[in-house]
Amino acid sequence: MTDLSSSFTYLVTREPAYLKAAANLVDTRDDNAHPLNHESFFRSRSVVVALTKEGGMVGCAAIKEGEGDMAEMGYLMVSPAYRRRGIAQRLTRERVSVAKQDGIKMLWATVRDENTASKANLLKNGWHFWHNYLSVRGTGNVVGWYYLPIEDGLDIDARMQSLVGDRVRVD
């Protein structure tokens, strides 16, 4: 795959118009069994958007709302017409850079088992798979948990277990 991601502009934004456009893009997901909570999205710690030279939004991703030294990555979406150009990987790298600047020590993400593209994106960007768990939504979906330590010396198992809680492990 040729990396065409550099032909786009990547912007960390709190601009309401960009947040609304990003939320609308996330709403177009073809696997959107659980609609986006827009209020929660607008409270994200950081939102990164990918724009064409003309200013059209082709992708977005966020570090979800919350506080503390751990943060969840999510809401990654690239418009179907712009996929396979490295945009998702670049959005992931941009969010990791933002997390480092913000003093976050560890990032984590959950990915449904059938979402092979997202799993590959995380692994290509240096993330680690932790374990699979059943979704707490009662859907029967298997969800993989991934992490990226930003600081050395973290007790990854303790931190991940604190996030997972009493979910049912399936691997």
Side-chain angles (χ1 to χ4, degrees):
M1 176 180 81
T2 303
D3 182 5
L4 302 173
S5 68
S6 61
S7 62
F8 300 95
T9 300
Y10 297 85
L11 176 68
V12 180
T13 185
R14 299 291 321 145
E15 176 66 37
Y18 282 132
L19 295 179
K20 184 175 170 86
N24 289 338
L25 180 59
V26 173
D27 279 337
T28 68
R29 293 179 296 192
D30 54 359
D31 68 341
N32 203 0
H34 305 287
L36 176 67
N37 178 324
H38 284 234
E39 290 80 24
S40 179
F41 180 80
F42 295 149
R43 289 190 303 266
S44 295
R45 289 183 182 197
S46 297
V47 175
V48 181
V49 296
L51 306 169
T52 63
K53 288 181 173 52
E54 297 77 65
M57 187 172 300
V58 298
C60 64
I63 299 175
K64 291 184 172 185
E65 70 176 304
E67 43 188 58
D69 66 1
M70 293 191 300
E72 181 182 9
M73 300 255 279
Y75 308 127
L76 173 63
M77 177 65 184
V78 176
S79 178
Y82 290 89
R83 291 183 182 158
R84 309 285 309 152
R85 299 183 192 194
I87 296 169
Q89 286 187 41
R90 178 74 181 268
L91 287 167
T92 298
R93 289 191 307 268
E94 294 291 332
R95 289 182 293 168
V96 170
S97 293
V98 168
K100 288 177 181 178
Q101 293 170 9
D102 290 348
I104 293 170
K105 294 179 180 179
M106 188 183 94
L107 291 166
W108 60 280
T110 58
V111 180
R112 287 186 12 197
D113 193 49
E114 65 273 11
N115 190 344
T116 56
S118 287
K119 292 188 294 187
N121 174 35
L122 291 176
L123 294 172
K124 285 177 187 175
N125 277 290
W127 286 62
H128 308 278
F129 171 73
W130 193 54
H131 298 294
N132 283 318
Y133 291 86
L134 288 178
S135 170
V136 295
R137 293 187 170 125
T139 60
N141 289 332
V142 173
V143 178
W145 286 65
Y146 294 78
Y147 67 93
L148 180 70
I150 295 176
E151 183 176 287
D152 292 334
L154 299 175
D155 184 344
I156 299 299
D157 285 331
R159 285 176 173 260
M160 291 300 289
Q161 191 58 51
S162 76
L163 298 168
V164 169
D166 61 358
R167 288 173 174 83
V168 176
R169 187 170 161 183
V170 293
D171 63 348

